[in-house]
Amino acid sequence: MEVNFQFDWAAAFGSIPHLLPGIPWTLMISFGGLAIGFVIGIVFGLMRISPSRWMRLPAVFYIEVFRGTPILVQVLFIFYGLPQLLGGPINALTAGIAAIAVNSGAYISEVVRGGVQSIERGQREAALSLGLSRTQAFRYVIWPQAFRRMIPPLGNQGIISIKDTSLFSVIGVGELVRQGQIYIATTFTALEVYLMVALLYLAITWSLSLLLRVLERRGLVGQ
């Protein structure tokens, strides 16, 4: 069977103006969700290492549930399932941000736990011996060091969350993939358009990776 196909570069580059409106939606969902997820991650990450069993158990349950289920299922549950419980519809943008928040929050919880536990016990003991309270020792000695070590995995989670937004076209969010689907429906140039969608995602994630490498070279992250 002979296949006579020529890649249409004009169609590929011509799709860019139609795809660009999806970038703000992609960034809004990913970074909005990550901001909320970071707060969630701090709370549950610290609960995870609490000496109290009643603090640890809810944290373990939350982390295992949201790390163990696909984010696509989570956003479908939020968008289609929760309205049945709440008695009203949920905006697609809100559902997307909420899905990124709870999903990234579970992973960030483990990043926080690992970062705090990576600080040597002697650091805390030295701070206490200087007269600091446990809260002050954590705030001024443990947390600043732990946070520097968290930045690379937090950056990786940011990249993952940006790519996860591509799944939210199923609920009608106007991110990059959704914009591509709308354009393809009228032009029938799926190969060319999806290639440009992939390149735009690559440009966003590569920019974030580059920022992380710059921070590492300047010694602002890591040890």
Side-chain angles (χ1 to χ4, degrees), residues 119-199:
I119 304 302
E120 296 76 7
R121 185 182 297 272
Q123 297 275 347
R124 178 185 176 191
E125 294 174 352
L128 295 176
S129 69
L130 292 174
L132 298 179
S133 67
R134 293 180 182 272
T135 301
Q136 290 173 327
F138 179 81
R139 179 179 178 182
Y140 296 113
V141 179
I142 304 300
W143 179 256
Q145 297 181 73
F147 182 71
R148 288 183 61 189
R149 299 182 182 184
M150 294 177 203
I151 293 178
L154 288 175
N156 291 335
Q157 182 58 45
I159 291 172
I160 293 171
S161 295
I162 289 171
K163 294 188 293 184
D164 282 343
T165 62
S166 64
L167 300 172
F168 298 165
S169 60
V170 299
I171 61 172
V173 175
E175 43 69 60
L176 278 171
V177 172
R178 181 61 176 171
Q179 295 296 333
Q181 291 173 339
I182 294 172
Y183 187 67
I184 290 169
T186 58
T187 62
F188 305 102
T189 53
L191 179 62
E192 292 84 356
V193 173
Y194 282 132
L195 174 62
M196 300 312 297
V197 169
L199 291 177

Side-chain angles (χ1 to χ4, degrees), residues 12-196:
F13 288 109
S15 68
I16 293 178
H18 300 274
L19 299 176
L20 290 179
I23 293 180
W25 287 90
T26 296
L27 297 179
M28 189 187 311
I29 294 171
S30 56
F31 289 114
L34 282 168
I36 300 172
F38 182 64
V39 176
I40 295 173
I42 292 175
V43 172
F44 282 92
L46 296 180
M47 289 173 61
R48 180 73 174 80
I49 58 178
S50 170
S52 170
R53 181 183 180 185
W54 300 108
M55 296 286 282
R56 292 197 309 272
L57 288 179
V60 171
F61 177 78
Y62 163 74
I63 292 169
E64 294 302 324
V65 167
F66 285 97
R67 290 205 312 167
T69 54
I71 191 171
L72 179 59
V73 174
Q74 294 166 17
V75 74
L76 290 175
F77 176 82
I78 293 171
F79 187 67
Y80 293 111
L82 282 185
Q84 297 183 25
L85 298 176
L86 301 177
I90 295 178
N91 180 272
L93 176 62
T94 302
I97 292 175
I100 291 291
V102 296
N103 183 269
S104 65
Y107 287 93
I108 292 173
S109 297
E110 288 296 275
V111 172
V112 170
R113 179 185 67 83
V116 172
Q117 291 182 333
S118 71
I119 304 302
E120 296 76 7
R121 185 182 297 272
Q123 297 275 347
R124 178 185 176 191
E125 294 174 352
L128 295 176
S129 69
L130 292 174
L132 298 179
S133 67
R134 293 180 182 272
T135 301
Q136 290 173 327
F138 179 81
R139 179 179 178 182
Y140 296 113
V141 179
I142 304 300
W143 179 256
Q145 297 181 73
F147 182 71
R148 288 183 61 189
R149 299 182 182 184
M150 294 177 203
I151 293 178
L154 288 175
N156 291 335
Q157 182 58 45
I159 291 172
I160 293 171
S161 295
I162 289 171
K163 294 188 293 184
D164 282 343
T165 62
S166 64
L167 300 172
F168 298 165
S169 60
V170 299
I171 61 172
V173 175
E175 43 69 60
L176 278 171
V177 172
R178 181 61 176 171
Q179 295 296 333
Q181 291 173 339
I182 294 172
Y183 187 67
I184 290 169
T186 58
T187 62
F188 305 102
T189 53
L191 179 62
E192 292 84 356
V193 173
Y194 282 132
L195 174 62
M196 300 312 297

